[in-house]
Amino acid sequence: MDQQQPLSDNPLLVLEGLPRFDEIEPEHIRPAVKSLLEQSEASLRKIESEAQPSWEGLMQPLEELDYPWERSWGSVGHLLGVRNTPELREAYESVLPEIVAFSLSVRQSKPIYEAMKAIRDNGSWDQLNDAQKRIIEKRILSAELAGIGLSGDELKRFNEIATELSQLSTRFANNVLDATKAYTLLITDSKDVAGFPDSLKQLAAQSYNTWDDKDADTEATADAGPWRITLDFPCFGPFMQHCRNRILREQVYRAFITRASEGEYDNTSLIPQILQLRQEKAKLLGYANFAEVSLAEKMAPGIDAVLEMEEQLRSSSWDNGQQDLADLQEYAKEQGETEPIIQWDFAFWSERLREKRFSYTDEQLRPYFSLEKVLDGLFSLVNRIFGITVTPATETVPLWNKDVRFFHIADEAGKTIAGFYLDPYARPADKRGGAWMDDCLGRKLVNGEVQLPVAHLVCNSTPPVGDKPSLMTFREVETLFHEFGHGLQHMLTTIDEADAAGINGVEWDAVELASQFMENWCYHKPTLLGMAKHYETGETLPDELFEKIKAARNFQAGTQMLRQIQFGVVDLKLHSEFDPAGEKSVFDVQREISQTTSVLPMLPEDRFLCSFQHIFAGGYAAGYFSYKWAEVLSADAFSAFEEAGLDNEQAVAETGRRFRDTILAMGGSRHPMDLFKEFRGREPSPEPLLRHTGLL
């Protein structure tokens, strides 16, 4: 950025309205961060010198310290996921060490830590509300986990580790993105796309046309090709299900499981470095291993409790998983397949067997799930259960891409209480894969006024192709409901203290409760048929197709459950028992665990861990079990609606209101177990999950 340009023109420093996503450029990042760091360091020194052991004297100024960062650094982090460019990445990485250092200096501030302990231990503690008490308790624990008790060389080393880990995880994520982007299988022979659904042919042709290395004289079409296959999941998943050419399937599958494990984007050496640093960090903090550090802030009481839950689910799923493979082998043999089923056959023959058993394909369903109708159905559902109304914004809102939309949420009285961005489509060139909800703005008091929460809902659904609207697979519909569940917890909070509002302060293994709860509604007949309308004829999805979807829900439930348990146990073992400096590799650990969690032996060259961003670049380190832990909670929560009677509108609304007033509204202001018991009247049970998945 031109040094003469005044900081007042920097969109990252605008503190009102919505972030200026349409104006933010990489050159704004360093000047904005430099300016904010100067202000924040001065504010921190002031807070430390005047630290009062009271909420107003200490915690409020700390909350104000975070406010400009939410709008600036939060927006930059968001753009890194949805509009990634080499320039943005470089600018982000250039200031990251300074930000990590500053954030540690806040968490490691002795005067602040002592003042917080003084609040907890003095007479004014009882005058605080639940949210304030939890925030202080969690901040004290967070300070302890950030090395507040360390000094001298130990503290110096702890801070070096934090910086290194931050850089390594960013490198890990970039390698996965780049390795995914670098792979291309070009198909030019129409025989090799026989059996491809239209949507996959269109996606592969579109992918060719937007490819940097395409032949300038060639324009791909869905019917004539060429077709470009990538490792991006909206392409990879359907390709593995529908490609009849076994040699091509093997080629693409091997590329997928070795992503980011060789060449210039190799994560192989980063994994032991990350694990070693986490282990060293845990030891410095006085914990036996990093899993204990992770669980200190979780709902689960300890490693043994998690492993016990995983084993309970694993043993209930093992025989079903074996049967899944036997069924597949038998069916493939009937169809003339002479080879035994191997990894790159699994999705292909599963899809054929699913089509035979339930006689429908994902492609038959797609025309019934245009994004617009699915949104109508989703908004109508949350209106019925929670009494809220969702409407598209009519005013102009700053966006980062033309396909992004903004919506407002209003309560029963018609008062606006929140908003959200929806970024629905895959853009492999600059948007990371997967789907996520992130907070854009959190609920908090700013100058005495409540700042309304705003969420980012990001999916990677199939984009519109030609004159067809975005037609979603059923899995994409479930994903949208899932992310919206996270969004609801962020947006329907009634807590005004930032650190306990929405998903803030919610234990990590309870944070998937609201999202997984929402997925259950995709199998509720009135809800699904209310939105499943054919995009051309308007006809409703036929009843028999709905029944098949419902029956297919638990198709290979044993295999799916085992897969998730494998990831969860591998993650926990790597962070509790594994020695990064020992003889064994991380892949050996996965191989051992796969013997009791996978129906097919792990391939010798499987390097899936090199692209396992959740635990090496996301927030799920020693916490991947959270998905299953929360699924137990969410299935049990949904069973409260089943008991009330799903088609009894009044009972559903009453149960929904109770869910909204506890799980969704209270955020991190109370322990999730207490909130769950208040909603459900008892502790959670794994029985509803096993029942819903047909594994009882």
Side-chain angles (χ1 to χ4, degrees), residues 646-659:
L646 287 176
D647 299 321
N648 177 338
E649 287 299 316
Q650 193 186 338
V652 161
E654 283 168 10
T655 313
R657 174 47 63 150
R658 204 166 71 244
F659 188 78

Side-chain angles (χ1 to χ4, degrees), residues 104-117:
L104 269 173
S105 71
V106 179
R107 289 169 72 198
Q108 291 172 347
S109 164
K110 285 271 191 339
I112 290 173
Y113 176 65
E114 295 304 337
M116 285 193 294
K117 285 203 301 185

Side-chain angles (χ1 to χ4, degrees), residues 390-442:
V390 184
T391 48
T394 50
E395 73 279 20
T396 304
V397 169
L399 306 172
W400 54 91
N401 182 282
K402 63 178 174 42
D403 294 329
V404 178
R405 284 183 269 174
F406 191 83
F407 295 85
H408 296 288
I409 290 189
D411 63 12
E412 296 89 335
K415 183 170 154 241
T416 300
I417 53 171
F420 65 93
Y421 293 91
L422 175 68
D423 186 346
Y425 312 131
R427 292 189 298 276
D430 64 358
K431 180 178 173 183
R432 73 177 166 90
W436 65 93
M437 187 292 295
D438 207 352
D439 43 345
C440 171
L441 300 174

Side-chain angles (χ1 to χ4, degrees), residues 63 129-132 135 386 388 409-412 415-418 442-445 449-453 487-504 506 656-670 675 678:
E63 193 176 289
N129 63 37
D130 287 343
Q132 292 168 338
I135 287 169
F386 303 127
I388 57 172
I409 290 189
D411 63 12
E412 296 89 335
K415 183 170 154 241
T416 300
I417 53 171
R443 182 177 169 118
K444 55 167 70 79
L445 293 171
E449 297 285 313
V450 173
Q451 170 177 282
L452 297 182
L488 287 171
Q489 193 166 22
H490 174 69
M491 296 185 285
L492 299 189
T493 190
T494 53
I495 304 299
D496 291 337
E497 289 82 6
D499 283 352
I503 58 171
N504 289 341
V506 177
R657 174 47 63 150
R658 204 166 71 244
F659 188 78
R660 179 180 162 180
D661 290 345
T662 51
I663 309 292
L664 299 179
M666 292 288 103
S669 69
R670 290 172 56 199
L675 289 173
E678 186 175 321

